[in-house]
Amino acid sequence: MPTFPSSIEIVDSHTGGEPTRLVVDGWPQPEGETMEARRADLASRWDHLRQAVVREPRGHDAIVGGLLTPPVEEGSEAGVIFFNNASYLGMCGHGLIGVVRTLEHLDRVEPGTVRLDTPVGTVSAELHDDKSVTIENVPAWCERLDVALSVPGVGPIRGDIAWGGNWFFLAHITGIDLGLTNLEALTALTKKIRAAVDGAGRVPVTDRELIHVEIFGPPTRDDADSKNFVLCPGGDYDRSPCGTGVSAKLAVLFERGEIELGERWRQESITGSLFTCWLERRGDDLVPFVRGRAWVTGRSTLLFDPDDPLAGGIGL
């Protein structure tokens, strides 16, 4: 039987509408000399805590959780392992923006630059005086353009596969209402697309079920270049413009010659929130920058009663 601590301390925030729940105390630290090893140890020994923290009845499907760890690289403030209702993430753009604002709330950082270690690499973030945050993400790249798929119930479609800290399939579909009133249809469509991507074995990773699916359309804000809908691995949608997703989008735009280095791309989310993004070259790497805003929404203690039959959360 899994064991639970008596309590876990968390700080909640949202970035452009997408929630982040950062665990700051009470969770046994995973072992490992690298963040990737720590993520593997967390999945092996403490996965029941992941489920308990982000799933109902304490959480809900939209929450992305994060566990703070000591840093692994010299000069980093901390390490962070991101997870959701389904499994673990390599990186999380909105989550990292939320982590920086949370660390400020905890008086651990001030405006300026902070480095945070993740399982896919060290990410730099700048907390600005106006409380916005710019993250310098891990390198992004376009893996494959114009991948043809046959989607049951939809028909043939094409899309691009790209990495922005997580894997994304960016579907080429036009004329779809990207409004909140169309969530049911958008979720059903993107789930069908993801199933087709998984079935085709097109994503060059072992955990194919962790792919995100993105659809883009015209913006509704005058200051945006595009609007998106992002299906997350656990089946819910991203309320923010999705930091790793827009990083993947930038890599595709650059590959197609549709954006230049340093050119600003303003991505609107389905909720109307905005990220401002651009690419810079670091040697052979394309490095995405994503600027957005997060707000701390609460600080609380999660309690675990040994008699609670749903202490470990309600499964998918």
Side-chain angles (χ1 to χ4, degrees):
M1 293 290 294
T3 59
F4 296 90
S6 60
S7 63
I8 289 178
E9 300 295 323
I10 61 166
V11 178
D12 284 331
S13 65
H14 82 85
T15 306
E18 182 71 359
T20 304
R21 173 165 288 178
L22 188 64
V23 175
V24 297
D25 197 16
W27 187 318
Q29 282 293 323
E31 298 177 356
E33 297 299 318
T34 67
M35 293 304 299
E36 187 174 13
R38 291 176 182 177
R39 180 177 61 176
D41 184 61
L42 193 157
S44 174
R45 297 195 296 137
W46 307 108
D47 194 59
H48 58 289
L49 295 186
R50 171 190 67 82
Q51 298 177 57
V53 166
V54 298
R55 289 182 178 178
E56 297 177 10
R58 294 177 187 83
H60 53 81
D61 286 348
I63 290 179
V64 172
L67 173 66
L68 280 182
T69 77
V72 295
E73 298 293 340
E74 185 178 354
S76 294
E77 170 66 26
V80 59
I81 301 169
F82 290 109
F83 48 89
N84 59 17
N85 60 337
S87 190
Y88 300 86
L89 301 169
M91 228 294 283
C92 182
H94 95 267
L96 200 84
I97 293 172
V99 167
V100 172
R101 286 301 314 277
T102 295
L103 291 176
E104 180 201 28
H105 174 78
L106 297 173
D107 294 324
R108 288 186 53 172
V109 301
E110 297 179 346
T113 301
V114 57
R115 290 167 56 84
L116 295 163
D117 300 324
T118 79
V120 295
T122 298
V123 178
S124 178
E126 183 177 357
L127 174 61
H128 303 284
D129 289 334
D130 67 356
K131 306 300 183 182
S132 66
V133 177
T134 298
I135 63 171
E136 180 180 338
N137 198 4
V138 296
W141 70 86
C142 178
E143 181 73 18
R144 197 174 305 166
L145 293 174
D146 297 317
V147 175
L149 291 176
S150 178
V151 181
V154 179
I157 70 165
R158 291 182 178 271
D160 308 315
I161 295 174
W163 169 264
N166 297 296
W167 284 107
F168 288 81
F169 184 83
L170 297 86
H172 302 174
I173 299 178
T174 59
I176 295 180
D177 176 15
L178 295 183
L180 285 169
T181 57
N182 201 34
L183 279 178
E184 185 175 347
L186 290 167
T187 301
L189 171 62
T190 48
K191 283 183 176 180
K192 290 178 180 178
I193 293 172
R194 187 174 62 191
V197 175
D198 291 345
R202 300 297 181 87
V203 183
V205 288
T206 300
D207 297 325
R208 291 196 179 96
E209 71 275 7
L210 295 185
I211 194 170
H212 299 62
V213 176
E214 274 192 278
I215 297 176
F216 296 87
T220 55
R221 295 177 53 140
D222 293 338
D223 57 350
D225 296 294
S226 170
K227 187 173 184 177
N228 68 1
F229 175 85
V230 181
L231 179 72
C232 300
D236 216 75
Y237 72 98
D238 197 329
R239 278 75 169 161
S240 82
C242 189
T244 56
V246 74
S247 296
K249 174 68 171 179
L250 290 175
V252 168
L253 290 170
F254 187 78
E255 182 75 12
R256 293 186 180 278
E258 297 177 6
I259 194 171
E260 298 180 354
L261 294 175
E263 182 179 347
R264 266 45 176 179
W265 177 268
R266 294 163 297 273
Q267 186 64 59
E268 180 186 0
S269 78
I270 191 169
T271 64
S273 55
L274 192 76
F275 284 168
T276 300
C277 320
W278 65 95
L279 288 173
E280 293 186 8
R281 180 77 77 178
R282 296 283 190 275
D284 294 330
D285 293 330
L286 284 176
V287 177
F289 288 74
V290 180
R291 184 167 182 168
R293 295 184 65 90
W295 291 264
V296 173
T297 57
R299 185 173 182 178
S300 59
T301 302
L302 302 181
L303 302 177
F304 297 86
D305 189 322
D307 293 330
D308 182 359
L310 295 177
I314 300 173
L316 292 175

